[in-house]
Amino acid sequence: MSFTDILRAEFKLEYNDMLRRKSVLFMLIMYPYLFTLFALFIGYAGGSPEVFVEKFGLNPVLYLITSSYILMSILASVDVLLWRPLYDSENGTLVYIISSPVNRLKYYMALPFPRYTELLLMGATSILPVYVYYYGLEGVLLSLLVITLIAVGCVLMVPFAIFVAGVCHRVGESWRIINIVRPIVMILMGVYYPRFYIPLIGYIIGSLIPSSFIVEIIQRTLLHLESNTHLLMAIAFTLFFLYLPAGAWSIKAWEVKKVKEGVKIS
Amino acid sequence: MSRAIEVEKITKTYRVKSRRGLFKSSVEFVEAVKGISFTADYGSIVCLLGPNGAGKTTTIKILATLLLPDSGSARVAGYDVVKEASKVRENIGLMLTVEKGFYGKLNGRENLEYFAALYGLPRDIALKRIDHLVKLLELDKLGADRKLYEEFSLGMKARLSLARALLKDAPILLLDEPTLGLDPPSARKIRELVREMAHRENKSILYTTHNMFEAEIVCDRILLINKGVIVAEGSPEELKDKIPKLKVINLVIKASGDPGKPLERFTFRKEIKQEENSVFNVKIYVPRPEDVLGEIVKTLVNSGHEVVNVRVEEPSLEDVFIYYSEGSI
């Protein structure tokens, strides 16, 4: 059972779903802009853009569109892995997935990749035009660098997301918890508020999330701050490998619980 | 070769919470399966026949590794369903509810390709197998291979569901009420294929249904299950032979009132069904019809009823089921 076969199947499922449901495609393109507008609206209500520039040294539009894009992309694995088992349960497909001999770690690792590719392509409609507007041609290179870093962040996030999903789904009525988990992960990753300004305790807890270090690298790059990129990358990759067995254990524990209760046919 | 399915005294009790008002709740325990044992061989169709809530789906779920039994043991293709679940999964084709279980925005073929990947079929083999199944189940004729699943009729869904169960060519098929709610042509097609799979391809098939007619024409061996217990087993003919030698007097009556009244003096078991306004179907179970038939007809005629038709029949599988679940017919 090869990972590429599972990946191909997931790509087909995700892309057919997106392309045959035009509203999903439209919302994917619109999301970063909607997030940015919302954050700007809140920001303008509390102060002026100059305050933001003074404090962070960067135009708020640039910062917020990047943050929204990071949020959508890197958190996609958390979204996919948290919601997919619930969707499959409702859809009646979960019983066939659990009763299949598919390698669980390979399967759950493959789940977020199609969404990732969609979102990375969305870089062309979100950060690229904004960067070009502010930086000219240099903006193209900068956006490519940011998209590449986000791609790394996406991959590093998967085992952590599997771990979190397994833990959440062990609890009854997990959909209630899922709605809370997402914003918590978002805050701890420091997506909207530069990570290095987060209080120490938050920074330490956020450091349990592999991709938070990638977010920090992107933020430091944008703000032209010094960054120990190699060290941050090394920590992120170490966490990635540590979460692999933890994720496999977590998803297995969830499945064992599910089978004890009896997988619902729906 | 070991048996395809071996079930030994498995039990399963569900914990059911029932709400009493806003804050109070009580827990009840429902014994879905009470120590059932049976075996199934390759090349045969074994049917679990019983009413809703009899324990059929619970048994299938245990064998499909979707539910752990509380006690007892079960082996599928020689593998223990608890300790060797992944091996069991490699050897079963599963068909559960017909209405759901696929992705709406994929067409029939794409759905099968998706599950083929999960079942670990190499891509070239999977595509050939899907081509074969699409033709076998006539999904192409119905356009179901190209149509989105969300636009499928129930018959198409059932066929696609059976195609998935056959996808990896597993030696054992677990089919839970595969014809439930289907139109007659689709139901017939599925029954034909099931028989073909068992007898031509030597597969072992566990088939659940609450339809007596279906059990009789599809299955080689029937396990009558009621309230979590197997109350009888055997071929349809053996089961009919096991019950007391009663025959059924089947009368069609044009009644001027209640035809049950004059028949009250006959103490045999009776079933009276109103067919139309004044037409009733009366079944009377008797050991020796020749002794009482004349008297029954005479009583009805004397009471002002018109006897339109009289037949003496052998008991049906339905009668067998009633006998074993209620203790008499």
Side-chain angles (χ1 to χ4, degrees):
Chain A
M1 186 175 309
S2 78
F3 183 66
T4 48
D5 283 341
I6 303 170
L7 209 52
R8 185 189 289 117
E10 280 303 324
F11 264 95
K12 232 174 172 176
L13 176 62
E14 175 70 23
Y15 273 83
N16 278 318
D17 196 63
M18 183 188 65
L19 296 171
R20 288 167 183 172
R21 216 191 292 265
K22 299 289 182 290
S23 58
V24 175
L25 182 63
F26 178 73
M27 283 315 292
L28 267 175
I29 294 170
M30 289 308 293
Y31 249 60
Y33 292 100
L34 291 175
F35 270 131
T36 305
L37 286 173
F38 176 69
L40 280 173
F41 171 75
I42 300 285
Y44 274 108
S48 69
E50 287 74 29
V51 176
F52 191 94
V53 177
E54 246 175 57
K55 203 165 181 188
F56 300 117
L58 188 70
N59 186 302
V61 176
L62 265 172
Y63 183 80
L64 290 172
I65 193 89
T66 310
S67 300
S68 302
Y69 182 56
I70 294 172
L71 177 77
M72 275 184 71
S73 310
I74 293 184
L75 277 188
S77 59
V78 178
D79 280 348
V80 170
L81 288 159
L82 285 176
W83 283 109
R84 182 63 182 274
L86 295 180
Y87 170 75
D88 278 319
S89 180
E90 192 59 32
N91 197 40
T93 32
L94 188 65
V95 280
Y96 296 100
I97 293 164
I98 290 186
S99 66
S100 78
V102 67
N103 178 303
R104 301 306 195 251
L105 188 59
K106 281 183 189 173
Y107 171 72
Y108 286 103
M109 284 292 284
L111 285 189
F113 278 88
R115 181 73 64 86
Y116 279 160
T117 58
E118 284 166 22
L119 290 164
L120 292 173
L121 290 171
M122 293 305 156
T125 61
S126 56
I127 61 168
L128 180 67
V130 177
Y131 280 22
V132 170
Y133 177 79
Y134 282 100
Y135 296 118
L137 276 180
E138 201 188 315
V140 178
L141 289 177
L142 187 60
S143 62
L144 284 177
L145 175 68
V146 169
I147 290 170
T148 309
L149 283 169
I150 288 175
V152 174
C154 287
V155 175
L156 295 182
M157 194 70 173
V158 181
F160 171 78
I162 295 174
F163 174 73
V164 172
V167 172
C168 288
H169 288 305
R170 274 181 64 85
V171 183
E173 297 201 29
S174 55
W175 61 271
R176 292 181 197 277
I177 297 163
I178 288 169
N179 285 327
I180 302 165
V181 168
R182 194 177 188 276
I184 289 176
V185 173
M186 186 182 93
I187 291 166
L188 291 175
M189 271 175 60
V191 174
Y192 274 105
Y193 197 80
R195 195 165 173 264
F196 30 89
Y197 290 140
I198 287 175
L200 185 63
I201 183 74
Y203 189 87
I204 292 168
I205 297 171
S207 298
L208 294 170
I209 306 169
S211 301
S212 62
F213 296 97
I214 307 298
V215 172
E216 188 169 337
I217 293 170
I218 297 169
Q219 288 172 340
R220 285 182 180 274
T221 307
L222 282 177
L223 300 173
H224 305 291
L225 295 172
E226 263 187 44
S227 162
N228 196 340
T229 307
H230 295 296
L231 178 65
L232 293 175
M233 278 280 188
I235 298 170
F237 272 90
T238 307
L239 283 173
F240 167 83
F241 286 111
L242 286 175
Y243 277 114
L244 274 175
W249 167 82
S250 169
I251 217 76
K252 192 178 176 194
W254 164 66
E255 199 175 298
V256 166
K257 183 178 182 258
K258 199 89 190 148
V259 172
K260 262 186 195 162
E261 291 168 352
V263 186
K264 286 200 174 68
I265 293 175
S266 85
Chain B
M1 187 185 273
S2 64
R3 291 221 138 121
I5 299 171
E6 293 167 277
V7 175
E8 183 73 28
K9 292 178 187 165
I10 55 167
T11 64
K12 183 70 199 177
T13 301
Y14 290 111
R15 190 172 171 272
V16 183
K17 220 176 187 181
S18 52
R19 289 271 161 207
R20 295 174 199 280
L22 268 180
F23 302 106
K24 283 184 182 172
S25 67
S26 62
V27 175
E28 285 168 27
F29 293 93
V30 179
E31 277 184 275
V33 175
K34 301 172 187 169
I36 65 170
S37 303
F38 65 90
T39 57
D41 290 323
Y42 291 99
S44 75
I45 307 166
V46 173
C47 179
L48 276 174
L49 172 67
N52 292 336
K56 306 186 295 287
T57 302
T58 299
T59 308
I60 286 259
K61 280 169 84 173
I62 289 171
L63 296 175
T65 72
L66 294 170
L67 177 66
L68 292 181
D70 294 333
S71 65
S73 69
R75 298 180 83 79
V76 174
Y79 300 107
D80 188 284
V81 294
V82 178
K83 293 175 196 146
E84 298 163 294
S86 59
K87 286 280 179 196
V88 171
R89 288 166 183 166
E90 285 171 17
N91 284 283
I92 56 166
L94 184 63
M95 180 177 178
L96 296 168
T97 176
V98 168
E99 289 152 28
K100 281 179 161 187
F102 288 96
Y103 295 102
K105 290 288 176 192
L106 297 185
N107 65 35
R109 190 176 282 272
E110 288 164 348
N111 263 303
L112 291 176
E113 283 177 28
Y114 180 85
F115 284 99
L118 290 197
Y119 295 158
L121 291 183
R123 190 158 166 76
D124 51 339
I125 294 172
L127 293 177
K128 275 183 200 158
R129 182 84 184 143
I130 291 166
D131 279 340
H132 168 67
L133 291 171
V134 161
K135 283 196 185 91
L136 185 72
L137 284 142
E138 295 172 357
L139 286 164
D140 49 351
K141 282 186 191 165
L142 298 169
D145 60 332
R146 300 279 164 217
K147 206 183 250 189
L148 292 187
Y149 180 73
E150 63 187 9
E151 292 161 5
F152 274 27
S153 66
L154 198 60
M156 289 179 189
K157 286 179 180 179
R159 287 174 194 226
L160 190 69
S161 202
L162 183 60
R164 172 174 51 199
L166 300 173
L167 201 51
K168 59 183 159 181
D169 206 11
I172 295 162
L173 298 178
L174 306 174
L175 312 178
D176 190 20
E177 311 232 26
T179 59
L180 189 68
L182 296 191
D183 56 289
S186 298
R188 195 187 310 131
K189 181 79 193 163
I190 285 179
R191 287 181 202 125
E192 277 170 18
L193 276 169
V194 167
R195 288 196 66 80
E196 200 178 307
M197 288 298 144
H199 301 143
R200 200 185 294 171
E201 299 195 12
N202 201 37
K203 291 187 191 301
S204 172
I205 300 175
L206 184 65
Y207 192 103
T208 76
T209 182
H210 60 254
N211 183 333
M212 315 278 172
F213 160 76
E214 181 166 270
E216 198 162 359
I217 60 166
V218 173
C219 302
D220 301 313
R221 198 154 62 89
I222 296 172
L223 310 171
L224 286 180
I225 184 168
N226 192 30
K227 294 175 186 162
V229 178
I230 292 176
V231 290
E233 64 176 287
S235 70
E237 291 314 312
E238 282 169 355
L239 285 174
K240 284 181 200 168
D241 285 347
K242 277 183 192 173
I243 65 170
K245 299 293 176 201
L246 295 181
K247 296 209 171 171
V248 186
I249 298 176
N250 197 331
L251 300 141
V252 179
I253 299 164
K254 221 176 208 177
S256 55
D258 178 11
K261 276 240 155 123
L263 294 174
E264 270 173 7
R265 68 190 187 89
F266 298 99
T267 53
F268 308 112
R269 181 190 164 92
K270 295 180 279 289
E271 272 177 32
I272 302 173
K273 277 186 202 160
Q274 190 165 6
E275 302 283 321
E276 287 168 38
N277 282 344
S278 59
V279 179
F280 288 80
N281 182 268
V282 179
K283 280 182 173 183
I284 305 170
Y285 299 85
V286 295
R288 292 171 57 85
E290 58 274 23
D291 291 351
V292 287
L293 181 58
E295 204 175 336
I296 288 171
V297 173
K298 202 167 142 192
T299 306
L300 285 166
V301 172
N302 288 345
S303 310
H305 304 300
E306 185 188 337
V307 178
V308 180
N309 194 5
V310 180
R311 279 197 321 267
V312 177
E313 297 169 339
E314 293 292 322
S316 66
L317 198 57
E318 189 174 356
D319 300 322
V320 175
F321 184 77
I322 290 166
Y323 173 77
Y324 280 108
S325 51
E326 294 179 11
S328 66
I329 57 172

